[in-house]
Amino acid sequence: MVASVVAALCLVAALVMSGLWLAERGKGATIRADRASATELDASYRDFASEVMTRLMTIRQETLTEDVDRIVEMIEGDFSEQFTPRRDSYEEVVETTAVVADGVVSAAAVEQSTPERAEVIMAIDQTIGNPRSQEDQDRQYRVRVTVNRHDDGEMKVSGVNFIP
């Protein structure tokens, strides 16, 4: 009788320990999945901000209107309120001066993020060609880009702040 009680207690203890072990294992898997998911989301924020800034800093005469249309589609909020009303004057200046520019994001990292928003800090190199100048001009910028992510997963840039 005593042996059966001891065996039953051992069996209950083994079941409890197995349950605790499985629960902890599940928590570990969830934490790893959450970290992987956050890393993937940060990469998406970084890639989207890089695409917008590359488009913004690259100027081509032959595709100017389409390029500006695409930028307008990718922005919202304060940045859109600043950029969109000035679009016509921007296009006019680019056409009048015949400026050509190549912008390249040389480094980018997510500074902080949530599932709805991220701040991406980046370094951008730009080469500007002007027919009135014999030499191209190289410029470097550091910017902080605010990216919003909507419920449907669509991302938009709502802020671009140049860092001195």
Side-chain angles (χ1 to χ4, degrees), residues 90-112:
Y90 170 79
E91 288 181 32
E92 184 179 322
V93 167
V94 169
E95 289 170 353
T96 303
T97 61
V99 169
V100 176
D102 288 307
V104 176
V105 175
S106 55
V110 174
E111 189 172 31
Q112 56 183 324

Side-chain angles (χ1 to χ4, degrees), residues 12 19 24-25 28 39 48 65 67 75 81-82 115 122 127 144:
V12 169
E24 284 302 312
R25 185 174 171 207
T39 300
F48 183 76
T65 301
D67 294 343
I75 64 176
E81 290 171 12
Q82 294 170 9
M122 57 182 54
T127 302
R144 180 172 287 111

Side-chain angles (χ1 to χ4, degrees), residues 31 76 100:
I31 290 169
E76 67 181 6
V100 176

Side-chain angles (χ1 to χ4, degrees), residues 32-132:
R32 284 189 298 280
D34 288 348
R35 285 184 187 153
S37 177
T39 300
E40 289 171 6
L41 183 57
D42 282 356
S44 294
Y45 282 133
R46 185 191 65 238
D47 293 347
F48 183 76
S50 296
E51 179 184 355
V52 172
M53 292 309 297
T54 299
R55 287 180 182 275
L56 192 62
M57 301 302 258
T58 300
I59 301 168
R60 294 282 174 266
Q61 297 293 321
E62 56 277 356
T63 59
L64 181 61
T65 301
E66 295 84 9
D67 294 343
V68 173
D69 285 343
R70 183 65 183 131
I71 292 167
V72 169
E73 291 171 3
M74 301 170 86
I75 64 176
E76 67 181 6
D78 291 342
F79 188 50
S80 180
E81 290 171 12
Q82 294 170 9
F83 183 83
T84 304
R86 294 178 179 90
R87 131 184 222 147
D88 292 338
S89 60
Y90 170 79
E91 288 181 32
E92 184 179 322
V93 167
V94 169
E95 289 170 353
T96 303
T97 61
V99 169
V100 176
D102 288 307
V104 176
V105 175
S106 55
V110 174
E111 189 172 31
Q112 56 183 324
S113 69
T114 67
E116 297 81 30
R117 182 183 183 120
E119 298 289 331
V120 181
I121 192 163
M122 57 182 54
I124 302 168
D125 298 324
Q126 185 183 45
T127 302
I128 301 171
N130 185 335
R132 296 182 185 146

